[in-house]
Amino acid sequence: SIGSSVGTLLVAEPARLAYVSARVCVCVRALAMMLGDLDEEIACQVWPAARVMSHWLDGAPALGAPVLRRATLLEVGAGTGYLAMRLTGRGSTSGVAKVYALDCNDQALQEMHCDLSALGSRGSRVRPVRWDWTESRLPRGVDFEEVDLI
């Protein structure tokens, strides 16, 4: 089972997947923007890393991914919300209960809200949250006590 505490964040090269044991994995494309390696349009497209992460997490445990049944996730740098929507969507086998989808790009968050509205109740398990990770305070609207995986 996934622990009840917030996982460990691993910093790796931009646009690569970072794996930290079978419990914690993070797509670090958001960190590349923070480091100035990518332009502002990064948040308004679906990156290959999000597709790979979705496939890997949906294939658990056969692919070595953590079991996410009833888990609450925190996605940093969610952009379009693709990963969050895939993991909570109708065709997903992951069983994710909820995803807090964090991003600092207002255009990406607006598009994510539109996509979630179009999904109706199927999009209700994704919570878009604006958070500028260059600020020192934690994002508002995230219940860190319920987050199982970052």
Short mmCIF file of all heavy atoms in Angstrom, two decimals, residues 48-122:
data_model
loop_
_atom_site.label_atom_id
_atom_site.label_comp_id
_atom_site.label_asym_id
_atom_site.label_seq_id
_atom_site.Cartn_x
_atom_site.Cartn_y
_atom_site.Cartn_z
N PRO A 48 5.33 13.96 -24.13
CA PRO A 48 5.49 12.50 -24.19
C PRO A 48 5.67 11.88 -22.80
O PRO A 48 5.19 10.77 -22.55
CB PRO A 48 6.76 12.31 -25.04
CG PRO A 48 6.80 13.52 -25.91
CD PRO A 48 6.25 14.64 -25.05
N ALA A 49 6.31 12.59 -21.89
CA ALA A 49 6.50 12.07 -20.54
C ALA A 49 5.16 11.80 -19.85
O ALA A 49 5.02 10.83 -19.11
CB ALA A 49 7.33 13.04 -19.70
N ALA A 50 4.15 12.64 -20.10
CA ALA A 50 2.83 12.44 -19.51
C ALA A 50 2.18 11.17 -20.07
O ALA A 50 1.53 10.41 -19.34
CB ALA A 50 1.94 13.64 -19.76
N ARG A 51 2.35 10.94 -21.35
CA ARG A 51 1.80 9.73 -21.97
C ARG A 51 2.49 8.47 -21.42
O ARG A 51 1.83 7.47 -21.12
CB ARG A 51 1.94 9.80 -23.48
CG ARG A 51 1.13 10.90 -24.12
CD ARG A 51 1.36 10.94 -25.63
NE ARG A 51 0.89 12.17 -26.20
CZ ARG A 51 -0.36 12.43 -26.53
NH1 ARG A 51 -1.29 11.53 -26.31
NH2 ARG A 51 -0.70 13.59 -27.06
N VAL A 52 3.81 8.53 -21.29
CA VAL A 52 4.56 7.39 -20.76
C VAL A 52 4.17 7.13 -19.30
O VAL A 52 3.93 5.99 -18.90
CB VAL A 52 6.08 7.63 -20.88
CG1 VAL A 52 6.87 6.57 -20.12
CG2 VAL A 52 6.49 7.65 -22.35
N MET A 53 4.08 8.19 -18.52
CA MET A 53 3.71 8.06 -17.10
C MET A 53 2.31 7.46 -16.97
O MET A 53 2.07 6.58 -16.14
CB MET A 53 3.78 9.41 -16.40
CG MET A 53 3.48 9.34 -14.93
SD MET A 53 4.77 8.54 -13.97
CE MET A 53 5.89 9.90 -13.78
N SER A 54 1.39 7.90 -17.81
CA SER A 54 0.02 7.38 -17.78
C SER A 54 0.01 5.88 -18.09
O SER A 54 -0.63 5.10 -17.37
CB SER A 54 -0.83 8.13 -18.81
OG SER A 54 -2.07 7.51 -18.97
N HIS A 55 0.73 5.49 -19.12
CA HIS A 55 0.80 4.07 -19.49
C HIS A 55 1.42 3.25 -18.37
O HIS A 55 0.92 2.18 -18.02
CB HIS A 55 1.61 3.92 -20.78
CG HIS A 55 1.82 2.50 -21.18
ND1 HIS A 55 0.82 1.73 -21.75
CD2 HIS A 55 2.91 1.70 -21.08
CE1 HIS A 55 1.29 0.51 -21.97
NE2 HIS A 55 2.55 0.47 -21.57
N TRP A 56 2.50 3.76 -17.77
CA TRP A 56 3.19 3.04 -16.71
C TRP A 56 2.30 2.89 -15.48
O TRP A 56 2.16 1.79 -14.93
CB TRP A 56 4.50 3.76 -16.37
CG TRP A 56 5.31 3.08 -15.32
CD1 TRP A 56 5.92 1.85 -15.42
CD2 TRP A 56 5.63 3.57 -14.02
NE1 TRP A 56 6.60 1.57 -14.25
CE2 TRP A 56 6.44 2.61 -13.38
CE3 TRP A 56 5.32 4.75 -13.35
CZ2 TRP A 56 6.93 2.78 -12.10
CZ3 TRP A 56 5.82 4.91 -12.07
CH2 TRP A 56 6.61 3.93 -11.46
N LEU A 57 1.70 4.00 -15.03
CA LEU A 57 0.87 3.94 -13.82
C LEU A 57 -0.39 3.12 -14.02
O LEU A 57 -0.88 2.49 -13.09
CB LEU A 57 0.54 5.36 -13.35
CG LEU A 57 1.72 6.15 -12.79
CD1 LEU A 57 1.31 7.59 -12.52
CD2 LEU A 57 2.28 5.50 -11.54
N ASP A 58 -0.94 3.15 -15.23
CA ASP A 58 -2.14 2.35 -15.52
C ASP A 58 -1.80 0.86 -15.63
O ASP A 58 -2.66 0.02 -15.48
CB ASP A 58 -2.80 2.83 -16.81
CG ASP A 58 -4.26 3.15 -16.62
OD1 ASP A 58 -4.77 3.05 -15.49
OD2 ASP A 58 -4.91 3.50 -17.62
N GLY A 59 -0.53 0.54 -15.87
CA GLY A 59 -0.12 -0.84 -16.02
C GLY A 59 0.36 -1.50 -14.73
O GLY A 59 0.85 -2.61 -14.74
N ALA A 60 0.21 -0.81 -13.62
CA ALA A 60 0.67 -1.34 -12.32
C ALA A 60 -0.12 -2.59 -11.97
O ALA A 60 -1.26 -2.71 -12.34
CB ALA A 60 0.46 -0.29 -11.23
N PRO A 61 0.44 -3.54 -11.25
CA PRO A 61 1.84 -3.68 -10.88
C PRO A 61 2.64 -4.43 -11.93
O PRO A 61 3.84 -4.63 -11.76
CB PRO A 61 1.79 -4.44 -9.57
CG PRO A 61 0.58 -5.30 -9.70
CD PRO A 61 -0.40 -4.49 -10.53
N ALA A 62 2.00 -4.86 -13.02
CA ALA A 62 2.70 -5.65 -14.04
C ALA A 62 3.92 -4.92 -14.59
O ALA A 62 4.90 -5.55 -14.97
CB ALA A 62 1.74 -6.00 -15.18
N LEU A 63 3.87 -3.58 -14.63
CA LEU A 63 4.99 -2.80 -15.16
C LEU A 63 5.90 -2.27 -14.06
O LEU A 63 6.78 -1.47 -14.31
CB LEU A 63 4.46 -1.64 -16.01
CG LEU A 63 3.68 -2.04 -17.27
CD1 LEU A 63 3.13 -0.81 -17.97
CD2 LEU A 63 4.56 -2.85 -18.21
N GLY A 64 5.65 -2.67 -12.82
CA GLY A 64 6.49 -2.24 -11.71
C GLY A 64 6.07 -0.91 -11.10
O GLY A 64 6.79 -0.34 -10.30
N ALA A 65 4.92 -0.42 -11.45
CA ALA A 65 4.43 0.85 -10.91
C ALA A 65 3.71 0.62 -9.59
O ALA A 65 3.27 -0.49 -9.30
CB ALA A 65 3.47 1.51 -11.91
N PRO A 66 3.58 1.67 -8.79
CA PRO A 66 2.84 1.52 -7.53
C PRO A 66 1.36 1.28 -7.78
O PRO A 66 0.80 1.75 -8.77
CB PRO A 66 3.07 2.86 -6.82
CG PRO A 66 3.38 3.82 -7.91
CD PRO A 66 4.08 3.03 -8.98
N VAL A 67 0.73 0.56 -6.90
CA VAL A 67 -0.72 0.34 -6.97
C VAL A 67 -1.39 1.59 -6.44
O VAL A 67 -1.10 2.04 -5.33
CB VAL A 67 -1.13 -0.90 -6.16
CG1 VAL A 67 -2.64 -1.07 -6.16
CG2 VAL A 67 -0.44 -2.14 -6.71
N LEU A 68 -2.27 2.16 -7.23
CA LEU A 68 -2.86 3.46 -6.91
C LEU A 68 -4.34 3.40 -6.54
O LEU A 68 -4.98 4.44 -6.42
CB LEU A 68 -2.69 4.41 -8.10
CG LEU A 68 -1.24 4.67 -8.52
CD1 LEU A 68 -1.21 5.51 -9.78
CD2 LEU A 68 -0.47 5.32 -7.40
N ARG A 69 -4.87 2.22 -6.35
CA ARG A 69 -6.29 2.08 -6.03
C ARG A 69 -6.64 2.93 -4.80
O ARG A 69 -6.01 2.82 -3.78
CB ARG A 69 -6.64 0.62 -5.79
CG ARG A 69 -8.11 0.40 -5.58
CD ARG A 69 -8.70 -0.81 -6.25
NE ARG A 69 -8.22 -1.23 -7.54
CZ ARG A 69 -8.67 -0.76 -8.71
NH1 ARG A 69 -9.56 0.18 -8.74
NH2 ARG A 69 -8.20 -1.24 -9.84
N ARG A 70 -7.61 3.83 -4.97
CA ARG A 70 -8.11 4.74 -3.94
C ARG A 70 -7.07 5.76 -3.47
O ARG A 70 -7.23 6.38 -2.42
CB ARG A 70 -8.68 3.96 -2.75
CG ARG A 70 -9.91 3.16 -3.11
CD ARG A 70 -10.52 2.45 -1.92
NE ARG A 70 -9.65 1.47 -1.29
CZ ARG A 70 -9.46 0.22 -1.72
NH1 ARG A 70 -10.06 -0.19 -2.79
NH2 ARG A 70 -8.66 -0.60 -1.08
N ALA A 71 -5.99 5.96 -4.23
CA ALA A 71 -4.95 6.91 -3.84
C ALA A 71 -5.29 8.33 -4.30
O ALA A 71 -6.00 8.52 -5.28
CB ALA A 71 -3.61 6.50 -4.45
N THR A 72 -4.78 9.30 -3.55
CA THR A 72 -4.87 10.70 -3.93
C THR A 72 -3.48 11.15 -4.36
O THR A 72 -2.51 10.96 -3.63
CB THR A 72 -5.36 11.57 -2.76
OG1 THR A 72 -6.69 11.15 -2.42
CG2 THR A 72 -5.36 13.04 -3.11
N LEU A 73 -3.40 11.71 -5.56
CA LEU A 73 -2.12 12.12 -6.14
C LEU A 73 -2.00 13.63 -6.18
O LEU A 73 -2.99 14.34 -6.25
CB LEU A 73 -1.98 11.58 -7.56
CG LEU A 73 -2.25 10.10 -7.78
CD1 LEU A 73 -2.00 9.74 -9.24
CD2 LEU A 73 -1.41 9.24 -6.87
N LEU A 74 -0.77 14.10 -6.19
CA LEU A 74 -0.45 15.51 -6.36
C LEU A 74 0.47 15.60 -7.57
O LEU A 74 1.59 15.10 -7.54
CB LEU A 74 0.25 16.06 -5.12
CG LEU A 74 0.68 17.52 -5.17
CD1 LEU A 74 -0.54 18.43 -5.09
CD2 LEU A 74 1.64 17.82 -4.03
N GLU A 75 -0.03 16.18 -8.66
CA GLU A 75 0.78 16.33 -9.87
C GLU A 75 1.28 17.76 -9.96
O GLU A 75 0.51 18.70 -10.09
CB GLU A 75 -0.03 15.97 -11.12
CG GLU A 75 0.82 16.05 -12.36
CD GLU A 75 0.07 15.80 -13.65
OE1 GLU A 75 -1.16 15.64 -13.64
OE2 GLU A 75 0.74 15.77 -14.70
N VAL A 76 2.59 17.91 -9.89
CA VAL A 76 3.22 19.23 -9.98
C VAL A 76 3.55 19.50 -11.44
O VAL A 76 4.21 18.69 -12.09
CB VAL A 76 4.51 19.28 -9.12
CG1 VAL A 76 5.18 20.64 -9.25
CG2 VAL A 76 4.20 18.96 -7.67
N GLY A 77 3.08 20.62 -11.96
CA GLY A 77 3.29 20.94 -13.37
C GLY A 77 2.34 20.17 -14.25
O GLY A 77 2.73 19.59 -15.26
N ALA A 78 1.06 20.14 -13.89
CA ALA A 78 0.06 19.33 -14.59
C ALA A 78 -0.24 19.83 -16.01
O ALA A 78 -0.71 19.05 -16.84
CB ALA A 78 -1.24 19.29 -13.78
N GLY A 79 0.02 21.10 -16.28
CA GLY A 79 -0.22 21.62 -17.63
C GLY A 79 -1.65 21.44 -18.07
O GLY A 79 -2.58 21.94 -17.45
N THR A 80 -1.86 20.67 -19.12
CA THR A 80 -3.19 20.46 -19.67
C THR A 80 -4.06 19.57 -18.79
O THR A 80 -5.26 19.49 -18.99
CB THR A 80 -3.10 19.79 -21.05
OG1 THR A 80 -2.48 18.50 -20.90
CG2 THR A 80 -2.30 20.64 -22.03
N GLY A 81 -3.44 18.87 -17.84
CA GLY A 81 -4.19 17.95 -16.99
C GLY A 81 -4.34 16.57 -17.60
O GLY A 81 -5.09 15.73 -17.09
N TYR A 82 -3.62 16.32 -18.68
CA TYR A 82 -3.74 15.04 -19.38
C TYR A 82 -3.54 13.85 -18.45
O TYR A 82 -4.38 12.94 -18.40
CB TYR A 82 -2.72 14.99 -20.53
CG TYR A 82 -2.64 13.65 -21.21
CD1 TYR A 82 -3.52 13.33 -22.24
CD2 TYR A 82 -1.70 12.70 -20.83
CE1 TYR A 82 -3.45 12.09 -22.86
CE2 TYR A 82 -1.62 11.46 -21.44
CZ TYR A 82 -2.50 11.17 -22.46
OH TYR A 82 -2.44 9.94 -23.07
N LEU A 83 -2.44 13.84 -17.70
CA LEU A 83 -2.15 12.71 -16.83
C LEU A 83 -3.24 12.53 -15.77
O LEU A 83 -3.73 11.42 -15.55
CB LEU A 83 -0.78 12.87 -16.16
CG LEU A 83 -0.35 11.76 -15.22
CD1 LEU A 83 -0.27 10.42 -15.94
CD2 LEU A 83 0.99 12.10 -14.59
N ALA A 84 -3.63 13.62 -15.14
CA ALA A 84 -4.67 13.56 -14.11
C ALA A 84 -5.98 13.02 -14.67
O ALA A 84 -6.63 12.17 -14.06
CB ALA A 84 -4.88 14.94 -13.50
N MET A 85 -6.37 13.51 -15.84
CA MET A 85 -7.63 13.06 -16.44
C MET A 85 -7.55 11.61 -16.90
O MET A 85 -8.54 10.88 -16.80
CB MET A 85 -8.02 13.99 -17.59
CG MET A 85 -8.53 15.33 -17.09
SD MET A 85 -9.12 16.41 -18.41
CE MET A 85 -7.74 17.54 -18.53
N ARG A 86 -6.39 11.18 -17.41
CA ARG A 86 -6.23 9.79 -17.83
C ARG A 86 -6.33 8.83 -16.63
O ARG A 86 -6.96 7.79 -16.72
CB ARG A 86 -4.89 9.59 -18.53
CG ARG A 86 -4.79 10.23 -19.88
CD ARG A 86 -5.48 9.47 -20.95
NE ARG A 86 -4.87 8.15 -21.05
CZ ARG A 86 -5.42 7.13 -21.70
NH1 ARG A 86 -6.57 7.29 -22.31
NH2 ARG A 86 -4.82 5.97 -21.76
N LEU A 87 -5.68 9.20 -15.52
CA LEU A 87 -5.66 8.31 -14.36
C LEU A 87 -6.99 8.24 -13.64
O LEU A 87 -7.24 7.28 -12.90
CB LEU A 87 -4.55 8.73 -13.39
CG LEU A 87 -3.13 8.53 -13.90
CD1 LEU A 87 -2.12 9.07 -12.91
CD2 LEU A 87 -2.85 7.06 -14.21
N THR A 88 -7.83 9.24 -13.82
CA THR A 88 -9.15 9.23 -13.18
C THR A 88 -10.27 8.95 -14.17
O THR A 88 -11.43 8.90 -13.80
CB THR A 88 -9.43 10.57 -12.46
OG1 THR A 88 -9.37 11.62 -13.43
CG2 THR A 88 -8.44 10.83 -11.35
N GLY A 89 -9.92 8.77 -15.43
CA GLY A 89 -10.92 8.61 -16.50
C GLY A 89 -11.55 7.25 -16.55
O GLY A 89 -11.14 6.29 -15.89
N ARG A 90 -12.54 7.16 -17.40
CA ARG A 90 -13.35 5.94 -17.56
C ARG A 90 -12.52 4.72 -17.95
O ARG A 90 -12.75 3.63 -17.45
CB ARG A 90 -14.42 6.20 -18.62
CG ARG A 90 -15.35 5.03 -18.82
CD ARG A 90 -16.40 5.32 -19.85
NE ARG A 90 -17.33 6.30 -19.31
CZ ARG A 90 -18.11 7.06 -20.03
NH1 ARG A 90 -18.06 6.99 -21.34
NH2 ARG A 90 -18.94 7.91 -19.48
N GLY A 91 -11.54 4.86 -18.83
CA GLY A 91 -10.78 3.71 -19.30
C GLY A 91 -9.60 3.33 -18.43
O GLY A 91 -8.91 2.35 -18.71
N SER A 92 -9.36 4.07 -17.38
CA SER A 92 -8.19 3.80 -16.53
C SER A 92 -8.42 2.59 -15.63
O SER A 92 -9.51 2.40 -15.10
CB SER A 92 -7.88 5.02 -15.66
OG SER A 92 -6.81 4.75 -14.80
N THR A 93 -7.38 1.82 -15.47
CA THR A 93 -7.44 0.68 -14.55
C THR A 93 -6.72 0.98 -13.24
O THR A 93 -6.63 0.13 -12.37
CB THR A 93 -6.79 -0.57 -15.19
OG1 THR A 93 -5.43 -0.27 -15.51
CG2 THR A 93 -7.54 -1.00 -16.43
N SER A 94 -6.20 2.21 -13.11
CA SER A 94 -5.40 2.56 -11.94
C SER A 94 -6.21 2.69 -10.65
O SER A 94 -5.69 2.43 -9.58
CB SER A 94 -4.66 3.88 -12.17
OG SER A 94 -5.57 4.96 -12.23
N GLY A 95 -7.46 3.10 -10.74
CA GLY A 95 -8.28 3.25 -9.55
C GLY A 95 -7.97 4.48 -8.71
O GLY A 95 -8.33 4.54 -7.54
N VAL A 96 -7.32 5.48 -9.29
CA VAL A 96 -6.99 6.70 -8.58
C VAL A 96 -8.27 7.39 -8.11
O VAL A 96 -9.22 7.56 -8.88
CB VAL A 96 -6.16 7.65 -9.47
CG1 VAL A 96 -6.01 9.02 -8.85
CG2 VAL A 96 -4.80 7.05 -9.75
N ALA A 97 -8.29 7.80 -6.84
CA ALA A 97 -9.47 8.45 -6.27
C ALA A 97 -9.54 9.93 -6.64
O ALA A 97 -10.61 10.44 -6.98
CB ALA A 97 -9.47 8.30 -4.76
N LYS A 98 -8.39 10.62 -6.56
CA LYS A 98 -8.39 12.06 -6.79
C LYS A 98 -6.99 12.50 -7.19
O LYS A 98 -6.00 11.91 -6.76
CB LYS A 98 -8.78 12.80 -5.51
CG LYS A 98 -8.89 14.30 -5.66
CD LYS A 98 -9.01 15.05 -4.33
CE LYS A 98 -10.08 14.51 -3.43
NZ LYS A 98 -10.18 15.28 -2.17
N VAL A 99 -6.93 13.56 -8.01
CA VAL A 99 -5.65 14.16 -8.37
C VAL A 99 -5.75 15.67 -8.19
O VAL A 99 -6.65 16.31 -8.72
CB VAL A 99 -5.25 13.87 -9.84
CG1 VAL A 99 -3.93 14.55 -10.18
CG2 VAL A 99 -5.16 12.37 -10.11
N TYR A 100 -4.83 16.22 -7.41
CA TYR A 100 -4.65 17.66 -7.35
C TYR A 100 -3.68 17.98 -8.49
O TYR A 100 -2.54 17.53 -8.49
CB TYR A 100 -4.03 18.09 -6.03
CG TYR A 100 -4.95 17.96 -4.84
CD1 TYR A 100 -4.78 16.92 -3.93
CD2 TYR A 100 -5.97 18.88 -4.63
CE1 TYR A 100 -5.62 16.81 -2.83
CE2 TYR A 100 -6.80 18.77 -3.53
CZ TYR A 100 -6.63 17.74 -2.63
OH TYR A 100 -7.45 17.62 -1.55
N ALA A 101 -4.15 18.73 -9.48
CA ALA A 101 -3.36 19.05 -10.67
C ALA A 101 -2.84 20.49 -10.55
O ALA A 101 -3.58 21.44 -10.78
CB ALA A 101 -4.21 18.87 -11.92
N LEU A 102 -1.58 20.63 -10.18
CA LEU A 102 -0.98 21.94 -9.92
C LEU A 102 -0.27 22.49 -11.15
O LEU A 102 0.45 21.76 -11.83
CB LEU A 102 0.04 21.86 -8.79
CG LEU A 102 -0.48 21.86 -7.37
CD1 LEU A 102 -1.43 20.76 -7.08
CD2 LEU A 102 0.69 21.83 -6.40
N ASP A 103 -0.47 23.78 -11.41
CA ASP A 103 0.28 24.47 -12.44
C ASP A 103 0.25 25.96 -12.16
O ASP A 103 -0.63 26.45 -11.44
CB ASP A 103 -0.27 24.19 -13.84
CG ASP A 103 0.82 24.28 -14.89
OD1 ASP A 103 1.22 25.40 -15.26
OD2 ASP A 103 1.31 23.22 -15.32
N CYS A 104 1.22 26.69 -12.72
CA CYS A 104 1.28 28.13 -12.52
C CYS A 104 0.83 28.89 -13.76
O CYS A 104 0.70 30.11 -13.74
CB CYS A 104 2.70 28.57 -12.14
SG CYS A 104 3.89 28.38 -13.45
N ASN A 105 0.56 28.18 -14.85
CA ASN A 105 0.17 28.81 -16.10
C ASN A 105 -1.34 28.99 -16.15
O ASN A 105 -2.09 28.01 -16.20
CB ASN A 105 0.67 27.95 -17.27
CG ASN A 105 0.42 28.59 -18.61
OD1 ASN A 105 -0.73 28.79 -19.00
ND2 ASN A 105 1.49 28.91 -19.32
N ASP A 106 -1.79 30.25 -16.15
CA ASP A 106 -3.23 30.53 -16.13
C ASP A 106 -3.95 29.99 -17.36
O ASP A 106 -5.08 29.51 -17.26
CB ASP A 106 -3.47 32.03 -15.99
CG ASP A 106 -3.06 32.54 -14.62
OD1 ASP A 106 -3.19 31.80 -13.63
OD2 ASP A 106 -2.62 33.70 -14.54
N GLN A 107 -3.32 30.07 -18.53
CA GLN A 107 -3.95 29.57 -19.75
C GLN A 107 -4.16 28.05 -19.67
O GLN A 107 -5.22 27.54 -20.00
CB GLN A 107 -3.11 29.91 -20.98
CG GLN A 107 -3.74 29.41 -22.27
CD GLN A 107 -2.87 29.70 -23.49
OE1 GLN A 107 -1.85 30.36 -23.39
NE2 GLN A 107 -3.28 29.18 -24.63
N ALA A 108 -3.15 27.35 -19.19
CA ALA A 108 -3.27 25.89 -19.05
C ALA A 108 -4.37 25.53 -18.05
O ALA A 108 -5.16 24.62 -18.30
CB ALA A 108 -1.94 25.29 -18.61
N LEU A 109 -4.44 26.25 -16.94
CA LEU A 109 -5.47 25.98 -15.94
C LEU A 109 -6.87 26.26 -16.48
O LEU A 109 -7.81 25.51 -16.23
CB LEU A 109 -5.21 26.78 -14.67
CG LEU A 109 -4.04 26.28 -13.83
CD1 LEU A 109 -3.67 27.31 -12.77
CD2 LEU A 109 -4.36 24.94 -13.19
N GLN A 110 -6.99 27.33 -17.26
CA GLN A 110 -8.28 27.65 -17.87
C GLN A 110 -8.71 26.54 -18.84
O GLN A 110 -9.87 26.11 -18.83
CB GLN A 110 -8.20 28.99 -18.60
CG GLN A 110 -9.50 29.44 -19.21
CD GLN A 110 -9.37 30.80 -19.89
OE1 GLN A 110 -8.28 31.35 -20.03
NE2 GLN A 110 -10.50 31.34 -20.30
N GLU A 111 -7.77 26.07 -19.65
CA GLU A 111 -8.09 24.98 -20.59
C GLU A 111 -8.42 23.70 -19.84
O GLU A 111 -9.32 22.95 -20.23
CB GLU A 111 -6.92 24.77 -21.55
CG GLU A 111 -6.77 25.92 -22.53
CD GLU A 111 -5.55 25.79 -23.41
OE1 GLU A 111 -4.97 24.67 -23.50
OE2 GLU A 111 -5.15 26.80 -24.02
N MET A 112 -7.71 23.44 -18.73
CA MET A 112 -8.00 22.26 -17.93
C MET A 112 -9.41 22.33 -17.35
O MET A 112 -10.16 21.35 -17.38
CB MET A 112 -6.96 22.10 -16.81
CG MET A 112 -7.06 20.76 -16.09
SD MET A 112 -6.02 20.57 -14.60
CE MET A 112 -4.50 21.39 -15.02
N HIS A 113 -9.79 23.52 -16.83
CA HIS A 113 -11.15 23.69 -16.31
C HIS A 113 -12.19 23.43 -17.40
O HIS A 113 -13.21 22.77 -17.13
CB HIS A 113 -11.33 25.11 -15.75
CG HIS A 113 -10.84 25.28 -14.36
ND1 HIS A 113 -11.47 24.75 -13.26
CD2 HIS A 113 -9.75 25.95 -13.88
CE1 HIS A 113 -10.81 25.06 -12.16
NE2 HIS A 113 -9.76 25.79 -12.51
N CYS A 114 -11.95 23.92 -18.61
CA CYS A 114 -12.88 23.69 -19.72
C CYS A 114 -13.00 22.20 -20.04
O CYS A 114 -14.11 21.69 -20.23
CB CYS A 114 -12.44 24.45 -20.97
SG CYS A 114 -12.65 26.23 -20.86
N ASP A 115 -11.86 21.52 -20.11
CA ASP A 115 -11.88 20.08 -20.39
C ASP A 115 -12.61 19.31 -19.29
O ASP A 115 -13.40 18.40 -19.58
CB ASP A 115 -10.46 19.54 -20.52
CG ASP A 115 -9.76 20.04 -21.77
OD1 ASP A 115 -10.46 20.53 -22.70
OD2 ASP A 115 -8.52 19.96 -21.82
N LEU A 116 -12.39 19.69 -18.04
CA LEU A 116 -13.06 19.01 -16.93
C LEU A 116 -14.56 19.27 -16.94
O LEU A 116 -15.36 18.38 -16.65
CB LEU A 116 -12.44 19.43 -15.60
CG LEU A 116 -11.01 18.93 -15.37
CD1 LEU A 116 -10.39 19.63 -14.17
CD2 LEU A 116 -10.99 17.42 -15.20
N SER A 117 -14.95 20.49 -17.32
CA SER A 117 -16.38 20.81 -17.42
C SER A 117 -17.04 19.97 -18.50
O SER A 117 -18.16 19.49 -18.33
CB SER A 117 -16.58 22.29 -17.73
OG SER A 117 -16.16 23.07 -16.65
N ALA A 118 -16.34 19.77 -19.60
CA ALA A 118 -16.88 18.96 -20.69
C ALA A 118 -17.04 17.50 -20.27
O ALA A 118 -17.94 16.81 -20.75
CB ALA A 118 -15.96 19.05 -21.91
N LEU A 119 -16.20 17.05 -19.36
CA LEU A 119 -16.29 15.67 -18.86
C LEU A 119 -17.42 15.49 -17.85
O LEU A 119 -17.81 14.37 -17.54
CB LEU A 119 -14.97 15.25 -18.21
CG LEU A 119 -13.80 15.02 -19.15
CD1 LEU A 119 -12.52 14.79 -18.35
CD2 LEU A 119 -14.07 13.84 -20.07
N GLY A 120 -17.93 16.58 -17.31
CA GLY A 120 -19.00 16.51 -16.32
C GLY A 120 -18.54 15.81 -15.06
O GLY A 120 -17.45 16.05 -14.56
N SER A 121 -19.35 14.90 -14.55
CA SER A 121 -19.03 14.22 -13.29
C SER A 121 -17.78 13.36 -13.41
O SER A 121 -17.10 13.11 -12.42
CB SER A 121 -20.20 13.37 -12.83
OG SER A 121 -20.46 12.34 -13.76
N ARG A 122 -17.44 12.92 -14.63
CA ARG A 122 -16.22 12.10 -14.80
C ARG A 122 -14.97 12.91 -14.51
O ARG A 122 -13.93 12.36 -14.21
CB ARG A 122 -16.15 11.53 -16.22
CG ARG A 122 -17.18 10.43 -16.45
CD ARG A 122 -17.01 9.81 -17.80
NE ARG A 122 -17.35 10.78 -18.84
CZ ARG A 122 -16.70 10.92 -19.98
NH1 ARG A 122 -15.67 10.18 -20.27
NH2 ARG A 122 -17.09 11.81 -20.85
#
